[in-house]
Amino acid sequence: MGTLLEPENTELPACYERPDLPARPDPNHADCRGVASVLSRVGDKWSVFVIMMLSDGPKRFNELKRMINGISQRMLTLTLRGLERDGLVTRTIFPTIPPRVDYELTDLGRGLSRPVEALGKWAKEHLDQIEAARTKFDQRNEG
Amino acid sequence: MGTLLEPENTELPACYERPDLPARPDPNHADCRGVASVLSRVGDKWSVFVIMMLSDGPKRFNELKRMINGISQRMLTLTLRGLERDGLVTRTIFPTIPPRVDYELTDLGRGLSRPVEALGKWAKEHLDQIEAARTKFDQRNEG
DNA sequence: CTGCATCCCTTTCGATACTG
DNA sequence: CAGTATCGAAAGGGATGCAG
């Protein structure tokens, strides 16, 4: 049906899901299978922002669009569908005119928002160091 | 020079970095500038895996490659360069024959690894729920 | 207002072959 | 072993127009 909502490969690179592979005996090898599945969603920038935006309560479609400066309608739709599919967000339609649709984190989504916010916090606190490192690196490798 | 190591746009979508925009007065609006910059790195699956792999000590190039099943040589190189650029990883060359290169987390990188591991932990613990939600969603929307 | 479909350009990434 | 260079396929993502 909708090509928009079914990009054939919402999934991971083939290598990620390999139930045929045994969990690596190497203790240094973090078990990618599974972790990867969730990280691929968190790995999506827009998803992370939406989760952060929703962490303090339900929001409407255009409300989210305005809050996440720069996201296109298309990407917001795709992102929300992905989150809904993963059970992280609920979609509630109010059959009013004009229509109104609220998005809200599920319990699962709220749980995820905690480590995500921790990440965001770390990001804010260390942004300066990272930007300094980038500048330095770029200078040395090109001057 | 190297097209491999300098993909013109390692950066964020234009919308992300807008120092010209004031921090949104809307209290619901998380400050994207800055957070985005780090999340775009964490948002990269491979980066996350490399960080996790390195969290228990230095590793060699091919060692990492084997541990992260499925990553191509090219992507591992790009990922490591990106992490090095951000000051999260150090690269140490041993001028032996054959050559040996060790990658190790910096203090900054080790700091980041904590929230990243928290995310990984959450992922493992809730993978079942997410997969269940996906199955359910797919059934309802196509059955 | 919310959202789907299409066009189309850009970026990403894997495969492959080659070097110090 | 640890890269680098190049190429082609695929995915990402914006703009626009239409619909309930």
Side-chain angles (χ1 to χ4, degrees):
Chain A
M1 238 176 247
T3 57
L4 176 60
L5 297 184
E6 301 172 37
E8 304 71 32
N9 185 9
T10 318
E11 290 316 315
L12 298 158
C15 56
Y16 271 29
E17 315 217 48
R18 298 279 298 279
D20 53 310
L21 292 177
R24 289 290 195 86
D26 182 346
N28 288 336
H29 179 274
D31 183 4
C32 290
R33 303 165 309 151
V35 179
S37 177
V38 176
L39 289 182
S40 75
R41 169 123 339 269
V42 173
D44 176 4
K45 277 186 294 286
W46 299 128
S47 293
V48 172
F49 281 114
V50 169
I51 288 172
M52 292 177 75
M53 297 303 122
L54 290 179
S55 66
D56 66 341
K59 299 273 178 301
R60 299 181 60 173
F61 185 89
N62 272 350
E63 203 172 354
L64 285 169
K65 187 163 187 308
R66 277 189 302 272
M67 290 170 79
I68 305 175
N69 206 316
I71 193 172
S72 66
Q73 189 182 49
R74 178 187 142 87
M75 289 316 296
L76 182 53
T77 300
L78 282 172
T79 301
L80 286 168
R81 284 296 172 283
L83 292 171
E84 190 191 357
R85 176 168 182 264
D86 284 0
L88 299 167
V89 160
T90 57
R91 178 167 178 268
T92 309
I93 307 172
F94 298 90
T96 57
I97 296 181
R100 165 188 180 140
V101 181
D102 273 15
Y103 293 91
E104 183 171 15
L105 289 184
T106 61
D107 286 342
L108 194 61
R110 268 185 292 274
L112 175 56
S113 80
R114 269 190 278 276
V116 165
E117 302 255 11
L119 210 51
K121 185 162 176 287
W122 187 95
K124 280 188 191 173
E125 291 169 359
H126 298 85
L127 179 62
D128 290 349
Q129 287 179 63
I130 290 183
E131 286 184 340
R134 284 179 184 169
T135 303
K136 197 174 164 189
F137 183 94
D138 292 345
Q139 282 173 349
R140 288 193 313 154
N141 293 41
E142 193 173 349
Chain B
M1 222 173 267
T3 57
L4 174 60
L5 296 184
E6 300 173 35
E8 304 71 31
N9 186 10
T10 319
E11 290 317 315
L12 299 157
C15 57
Y16 270 29
E17 315 216 49
R18 297 281 298 279
D20 54 310
L21 292 177
R24 290 290 194 85
D26 182 346
N28 288 336
H29 180 273
D31 183 5
C32 290
R33 303 165 308 153
V35 179
S37 177
V38 176
L39 289 181
S40 75
R41 168 125 337 271
V42 173
D44 175 4
K45 276 187 296 286
W46 298 128
S47 293
V48 172
F49 281 114
V50 170
I51 288 172
M52 291 176 76
M53 296 303 124
L54 290 179
S55 66
D56 66 341
K59 300 273 179 301
R60 299 181 59 172
F61 185 88
N62 273 349
E63 203 172 353
L64 285 169
K65 187 163 187 308
R66 277 190 302 271
M67 290 170 79
I68 306 175
N69 207 316
I71 192 171
S72 66
Q73 191 181 44
R74 181 175 181 275
M75 288 317 295
L76 183 53
T77 299
L78 284 172
T79 301
L80 287 167
R81 286 293 174 286
L83 292 171
E84 190 191 357
R85 176 169 183 263
D86 285 0
L88 299 167
V89 160
T90 57
R91 180 165 175 270
T92 308
I93 307 173
F94 299 91
T96 57
I97 296 181
R100 167 187 178 139
V101 181
D102 273 16
Y103 292 92
E104 183 171 15
L105 288 183
T106 61
D107 287 342
L108 193 61
R110 267 185 292 275
L112 176 55
S113 81
R114 268 190 278 277
V116 165
E117 301 254 12
L119 206 51
K121 184 163 177 285
W122 187 93
K124 280 188 192 174
E125 292 170 358
H126 297 85
L127 178 63
D128 291 349
Q129 287 178 65
I130 289 183
E131 285 185 338
R134 283 178 184 169
T135 303
K136 197 173 164 189
F137 183 93
D138 291 346
Q139 282 174 348
R140 287 194 312 156
N141 292 41
E142 193 174 348

